[in-house]
Amino acid sequence: MFKYEFKKYMGVLFTLVGIFGIVYFLILTFHHSEIEANVRDFYNEYMNILAGPLNEEKEKYISEEYQRVNRVIEQANANVEAWRDYEKLDYAFRHETAWSMIYDRYLNMVSMENAGDRIFYDDLEMQDFFKNSRVNYPGIFLLAVIALYSVTVDFHEKRHAVIKSSYRGNTEYIFTKQNVLVCIAVFASVIFLSIEYLYIGISGNLHVLSFPIKSMTDFSQLKWSISVGEYIILRGAVNILWNVVTMLVICLIGMLIKRLQTGVFISLFTIIVPLALKEMVNSKLFAWIYSVNLDKDFMLCRLDMVTVPNAVLLAFVLYVINICLWKSTYICNLKE
Amino acid sequence: MKLELRNISKKYGKTEALHEYSAVFENGIYGLLGPNGAGKTTLMNIVATLMKPSGGEVLFDGKSIYKMGKEYRRILGYLPQYPGLYPFYTGRELLSYFAKLKDVDASAERINELLGLVHLLDAADKKVGGYSGGMKKRMAIAVALLNNPKLIVMDEPTAGLDPKERIRFRSIVSKIKYESIIIISTHIVSDVEHIADNIVLMDKGRLLEQDKCHRLIEKKKDCVWFMDVKNEDVLEYTEKYKVVNTINIDRDHVRVRIIGDEKPEEEAQSVYPTLEDVYMYYFGSDD
């Protein structure tokens, strides 16, 4: 039955995974870094000096540079007229921006307990990657369409009537359907994870994978001492779990709505729009909606050890609700 | 085998689709006749376990179908009004899929046997999405028969079919020689006239009559009349009597077929009724 059930969505699955895989890759590839070129040049200069484990020599350099930059700022404040030259001001501003990034990172490092995590490396692309791929909208939309299609296809022309009047159509059928959806969620998640790795490889950041994730400013509060590569795998695993939950939520919506187009519309408003709003939480406009989990990085929240068991529990509850809903949809409750 | 419906009621809000409906079905073909809104589909859905009645019970061989659980579905074949087949499967794959769902033999021999029965062997490896309406209906019949059901429920099986396909359908049903109860719900009298052993007449959720087809006809043998009237008088007769048919016999005269318990006019002649006359007797009124 699994094979036949899978075949129902195979065409849609491969088409959509293909299309959305390409879209996702393009989004990653053509996303322009928020860091301007001049700032990048200054950052590179600093990184050429500081790259590698933090040592006394580098700490000395940072201390001297800190004083130097402060002196420049003090001079600027003392001689305002001189700083009316726009080019000079812009140059100083970019230099100061690059320095701030380096110095913030240094402050973060010295606060770390494990000296092994105190490593300077160029992580700008990776930070940018994590920020922009933390919620994979194309992936979620893909799963929404597949899950909705898989459920609504049974209600089209009242196909469910024949299924539900059959021996295995009332309970085993919905078990199989949900198992197929879970497998599709895993499959799609793995494809998207592979695309992320492909992107990292193409963007020349493979060497970063072995560095400790905590050395990145955004991840300094992470509880575990793991490498960037391990973090991506762990994040992928948690993503799979959440994608399974998403799939089951949309399966539920599909069973309630029964129509593909309406279901897509409703799913957008129940899953994707709230996620987008959550992403906009830093704008403060929407902060009040998400008074819980206002972590700076949404992925950190997702990796929380409390969140994972909750996701497992949620997936189980949804699984059971979907079975009950299918059994009670337009049917009498025969004793199984 | 015996399917017994005891005081079945079904309400949709304040609307009563079935009112304490009781009937007994034994081996044979039953034609369930009634106008739209008679409660036929509701009754079919209840028998097919797709709907739970508001009251009453359904017994199969003396056991409540709700206590039989999925064992009841093992002996059930259901053909819905809309075939509802998955277009992306070939005919053969579709039957294999439903064989899995019905937990029955999905061997090539069995599938070929069914495809042969419904005259779809030539199209067995084509996608169901490319089938005509009649072919889809025949495929749905094959799906319903997969598990050699003891009880076959067919809801408006000929709706939307052209005359050729309707004749083909009757031929297929006549070939089903299982020891089974077949209930065919329809409002097209000719579909069941020649194949049904028993006729069940329903209206407004209630059972009006249930009997052998010939007995129902026999009961109304003095209720059908014909008479020749002038063209200009046809309208008057139509308003006065229950006229079910008119045939032009020459330029000035029309032969009208009238249904009624009493002889309409002195010159009217009694004719032996058909099942269609019986249907019109019960359901012919505009009200």
Side-chain angles (χ1 to χ4, degrees), chain A residues 97-125:
Chain A
T97 305
W99 167 250
S100 298
M101 290 159 72
I102 296 288
Y103 193 68
D104 284 350
R105 203 152 161 209
Y106 167 72
L107 291 178
N108 174 45
M109 275 183 202
V110 292
S111 68
M112 286 175 183
E113 288 175 15
N114 184 5
D117 289 339
R118 296 171 190 167
I119 300 174
F120 269 111
Y121 59 91
D122 184 349
D123 67 343
L124 289 186
E125 268 83 20

Side-chain angles (χ1 to χ4, degrees), chain B residues 196-237:
Chain B
D197 311 312
N198 296 275
I199 300 295
V200 181
L201 297 170
M202 284 181 74
D203 195 20
K204 292 170 186 162
R206 292 160 200 263
L207 175 68
L208 298 182
E209 286 268 7
Q210 178 173 346
D211 211 335
K212 296 276 180 195
C213 186
H214 66 88
R215 274 195 221 136
L216 274 179
I217 292 170
E218 185 71 19
K219 279 181 197 171
K220 301 298 170 201
K221 70 175 180 183
D222 292 324
C223 299
V224 185
W225 319 85
F226 80 85
M227 56 190 290
D228 298 340
V229 299
K230 287 182 180 173
N231 271 342
E232 57 265 33
D233 297 333
V234 171
L235 188 61
E236 183 192 331
Y237 277 91

Side-chain angles (χ1 to χ4, degrees), chain A residues 4-5 7-8 149 154 159 161-168 170 172-173 330-332 334-336, chain B residues 45 49-52 65-66 69-70 73-74 80 84-89 93 96-97 100-101 103:
Chain A
Y4 286 100
E5 196 58 32
K7 195 181 173 183
K8 275 190 199 171
Y149 176 78
D154 288 340
R159 288 175 185 141
V162 183
I163 293 169
K164 288 173 77 69
S165 64
S166 65
Y167 181 76
R168 299 163 85 176
N170 207 22
E172 286 163 82
Y173 178 76
Y330 188 54
I331 197 168
C332 61
L334 286 184
K335 186 185 170 191
E336 294 294 338
Chain B
N45 283 340
T49 75
L50 294 170
M51 199 177 276
K52 196 170 186 178
I65 63 168
Y66 309 111
K70 59 195 224 181
R73 293 200 186 100
R74 197 183 275 288
L85 306 173
Y86 294 99
F88 32 75
Y89 289 132
E93 284 170 342
S96 300
Y97 173 59
K100 293 274 178 199
L101 272 173
D103 194 31

Side-chain angles (χ1 to χ4, degrees), chain B residues 157-170:
Chain B
T158 55
L161 294 187
D162 62 32
K164 188 181 162 191
E165 283 291 352
R166 281 164 59 186
I167 291 167
R168 205 172 227 167
F169 163 78
R170 285 183 227 157

Side-chain angles (χ1 to χ4, degrees), chain A residues 4-167:
Chain A
Y4 286 100
E5 196 58 32
F6 189 75
K7 195 181 173 183
K8 275 190 199 171
Y9 331 125
M10 208 165 60
V12 181
L13 175 69
F14 286 114
T15 309
L16 289 181
V17 168
I19 291 170
F20 283 95
I22 292 165
V23 168
Y24 186 46
F25 184 70
L26 291 177
I27 288 171
L28 288 176
T29 308
F30 290 102
H31 171 75
H32 292 290
S33 172
E34 291 165 10
I35 301 155
E36 291 173 59
N38 289 349
V39 176
R40 189 71 166 102
D41 290 341
F42 287 120
Y43 183 87
N44 286 347
E45 279 176 28
Y46 281 124
M47 201 46 71
N48 286 339
I49 299 164
L50 295 170
L54 186 67
N55 53 30
E56 280 182 22
E57 192 185 335
K58 286 174 187 172
E59 285 199 78
K60 191 180 167 201
Y61 171 80
I62 289 168
S63 173
E64 287 168 4
E65 185 66 7
Y66 177 76
Q67 287 168 15
R68 193 183 71 81
V69 172
N70 276 352
R71 265 200 312 278
V72 171
I73 292 169
E74 280 168 18
Q75 284 169 8
N77 288 335
N79 186 7
V80 176
E81 282 300 312
W83 290 88
R84 288 210 172 136
D85 177 353
Y86 174 76
E87 279 187 23
K88 195 175 178 185
L89 179 67
D90 188 51
Y91 178 88
F93 171 73
R94 291 177 195 284
H95 195 161
E96 205 271 331
T97 305
W99 167 250
S100 298
M101 290 159 72
I102 296 288
Y103 193 68
D104 284 350
R105 203 152 161 209
Y106 167 72
L107 291 178
N108 174 45
M109 275 183 202
V110 292
S111 68
M112 286 175 183
E113 288 175 15
N114 184 5
D117 289 339
R118 296 171 190 167
I119 300 174
F120 269 111
Y121 59 91
D122 184 349
D123 67 343
L124 289 186
E125 268 83 20
M126 287 307 291
Q127 295 254 28
D128 206 41
F129 164 76
F130 283 128
K131 275 181 188 162
N132 289 294
S133 64
R134 55 194 178 190
V135 177
N136 179 355
Y137 292 107
I140 292 170
F141 186 73
L142 161 83
L143 294 179
V145 173
I146 292 173
L148 280 170
Y149 176 78
S150 77
V151 176
T152 54
V153 73
D154 288 340
F155 290 98
H156 186 64
E157 293 181 342
K158 296 184 179 173
R159 288 175 185 141
H160 67 301
V162 183
I163 293 169
K164 288 173 77 69
S165 64
S166 65
Y167 181 76

Side-chain angles (χ1 to χ4, degrees), chain B residues 78-95:
Chain B
Y78 175 58
L79 174 67
Q81 187 170 351
Y82 305 99
L85 306 173
Y86 294 99
F88 32 75
Y89 289 132
T90 65
R92 208 178 288 283
E93 284 170 342
L94 188 88
L95 285 179

